[in-house]
Amino acid sequence: MLEMAKEFEAYPNRHLLYGKVVATLFFEPSTRTRLSFETAANRLGARVIGFSDPMSTSSSKGETLNDTIKMVSNYADIIVMRHYLEGAARYASEVTNVPVVNAGDGAHQHPSQTMLDLYSIYKTQGSLENLQIYLVGDLKYGRTVHSLIQAMRHFNPTFHFIAPDELRMPEEYKIYCREHDIKFVEHKDFTAESIADADILYMTRVQRERFTDLDEYERVKNVYILRNSMLENTKPNLRILHPLPRVNEIAYDVDANEKAYYFQQAQNGLYAREAILCDVLGITLEEVKADSLKLEATEKVSGAVKNITDDLPEAINNFKDNMEKFVNSVKDTFKK
């Protein structure tokens, strides 16, 4: 999948999904995930249907998720769904034969974000192996960090969980780490010294929408803020990731630092989600690579034609000048 994403980064515009219909069903607000999936579908030649506001659909009239999924399955080749209930995507996949991509289900998982996170980590570190990965902020409700832990289990990471008591990593994920021999350390301090050994610093937003007690949210919302001054003694290869949107957890003075990578990370989401759509619809890496070779050949031909076209006016002028000189020399000869 990561190799496929790399192919799409080189040539994002293709026709691999021409004639396909992608349904994006977003029962919860989203900017980057929805737009990147829809852009991925469009750049691959597919058409997009769906909604970003469930209040504009029949679910506002009481239609069940079961019925919505079965209805949309009549129109689409693949469904991309975000839902506020944990397990909603799995349930949807059980009531339809159309592939369902989980674009986030409550505070549970966010697998497509994890794919772009893995791609971003691989691009910036050159490897996924043996990394010191610091997860900071809302580790209780942060579905992106939950997914990342599971995805990294094959690569011998050491995780550092930095969170206040109210937002610490749920026990089920710590049990998961122990069962899969994933090393982890828990911290509460968030200082320049505590992050000095990080390869990846993964910041998260404290999610107001997940709190039932708003007083608790107010107590923890600004507990950790990354400032540029904290990065002076960090490792040269450190990169700062964030699933976005941010609120206050990364100060704006960090944006200009070369170690800030969250906006490029969001751009990587396009390539990762192109790979996800193709993989789920049965398009192999070999097919994508073959398509890349065609695009590369077309690009070379287009470049050659452009060079000829660019040089043509000068060639015509040179020809005219030479012909004029030739005619004049012939005239001079006859005069003699």
Side-chain angles (χ1 to χ4, degrees):
M1 290 282 281
L2 299 184
E3 197 170 344
M4 193 182 288
K6 184 178 179 180
E7 293 291 322
F8 286 123
E9 182 169 6
Y11 296 101
N13 297 323
R14 304 179 185 237
H15 298 285
L16 291 169
L17 297 187
Y18 180 78
K20 300 291 186 182
V21 176
V22 177
T24 55
L25 312 184
F26 279 72
F27 293 87
E28 198 175 46
S30 170
T31 300
R32 278 148 297 278
T33 303
R34 181 176 64 84
L35 290 181
S36 61
F37 264 119
E38 292 180 355
T39 302
N42 284 319
R43 288 188 180 274
L44 290 169
R47 288 168 291 174
V48 178
I49 62 172
F51 57 81
S52 57
D53 180 8
M55 294 307 295
S56 65
T57 72
S58 292
S59 63
S60 65
K61 304 174 184 177
E63 183 176 65
T64 63
L65 180 60
N66 174 84
D67 288 359
T68 298
I69 295 300
K70 287 182 175 178
M71 181 274 298
V72 173
S73 299
N74 293 321
Y75 311 138
D77 298 287
I78 182 172
I79 294 171
V80 177
M81 187 179 80
R82 168 170 288 186
H83 203 281
Y84 51 85
L85 292 178
E86 297 182 14
R90 178 177 291 277
Y91 172 76
S93 70
E94 293 171 352
V95 300
T96 179
N97 292 324
V98 173
V100 176
V101 175
N102 182 2
D105 59 333
H108 185 222
Q109 297 285 336
H110 198 344
S112 72
Q113 176 71 39
T114 299
M115 282 304 305
L116 73 94
D117 290 344
L118 291 177
Y119 186 52
S120 298
I121 293 170
Y122 184 78
K123 280 184 66 178
T124 60
Q125 304 301 313
S127 171
L128 295 175
E129 301 282 351
N130 305 314
L131 297 174
Q132 299 284 331
I133 302 177
Y134 287 56
L135 308 178
V136 182
D138 185 355
L139 309 187
K140 180 179 180 180
Y141 300 113
R143 57 194 172 198
T144 61
V145 296
H146 300 162
S147 293
L148 186 60
I149 287 171
Q150 294 179 328
M152 287 296 297
R153 69 185 182 275
H154 303 294
F155 304 108
N156 192 37
T158 299
F159 282 107
H160 297 254
F161 302 151
I162 303 178
D165 287 336
E166 297 90 337
L167 298 175
R168 63 184 178 271
M169 184 65 70
E171 192 62 31
E172 64 183 286
Y173 293 104
K174 290 187 279 188
I175 292 172
Y176 182 90
C177 288
R178 296 185 189 105
E179 289 177 345
H180 292 83
D181 297 321
I182 300 172
K183 299 182 288 294
F184 70 91
V185 182
E186 293 189 272
H187 309 266
K188 291 182 184 178
D189 292 336
F190 183 58
T191 63
E193 292 74 22
S194 67
I195 64 172
D197 293 327
D199 297 306
I200 294 294
L201 184 60
Y202 197 106
M203 302 296 297
T204 64
R205 171 178 66 94
V206 177
Q207 302 174 71
R208 184 179 186 276
E209 64 271 22
R210 307 291 179 204
F211 284 79
T212 55
D213 182 348
L214 291 184
D215 288 336
E216 183 181 18
Y217 168 75
E218 291 296 328
R219 284 197 302 273
V220 299
K221 67 178 183 180
N222 294 323
V223 66
Y224 299 135
I225 299 176
L226 177 65
R227 304 188 187 281
N228 196 48
S229 59
M230 297 171 64
L231 301 173
E232 290 180 7
N233 297 316
T234 53
K235 294 164 72 171
N237 64 297
L238 171 70
R239 291 299 179 268
I240 303 156
L241 304 184
H242 192 307
L244 302 177
R246 68 170 160 189
V247 183
N248 300 318
E249 61 279 358
I250 299 179
Y252 285 98
D253 63 356
V254 176
D255 291 357
N257 194 303
E258 63 180 8
K259 296 176 181 179
Y261 195 75
Y262 28 90
F263 293 119
Q264 297 96 317
Q265 176 190 3
Q267 183 179 15
N268 290 337
L270 170 62
Y271 317 128
R273 288 174 174 128
E274 284 187 292
I276 289 169
L277 292 176
C278 284
D279 182 73
V280 171
L281 288 171
I283 296 172
T284 65
L285 175 60
E286 287 70 27
E287 290 174 299
V288 174
K289 285 186 173 181
D291 189 61
S292 295
L293 290 175
K294 292 178 184 177
L295 291 168
E296 184 179 356
T298 301
E299 192 176 74
K300 287 180 179 178
V301 170
S302 298
V305 170
K306 184 178 184 302
N307 289 337
I308 292 171
T309 304
D310 290 344
D311 293 341
L312 192 57
E314 184 178 353
I316 291 172
N317 288 332
N318 289 338
F319 177 77
K320 287 179 178 179
D321 291 342
N322 290 331
M323 282 301 296
E324 187 175 345
K325 290 177 182 177
F326 175 73
V327 170
N328 290 335
S329 67
V330 170
K331 287 179 178 178
D332 291 342
T333 300
F334 280 107
K335 284 178 181 180
K336 292 177 181 178

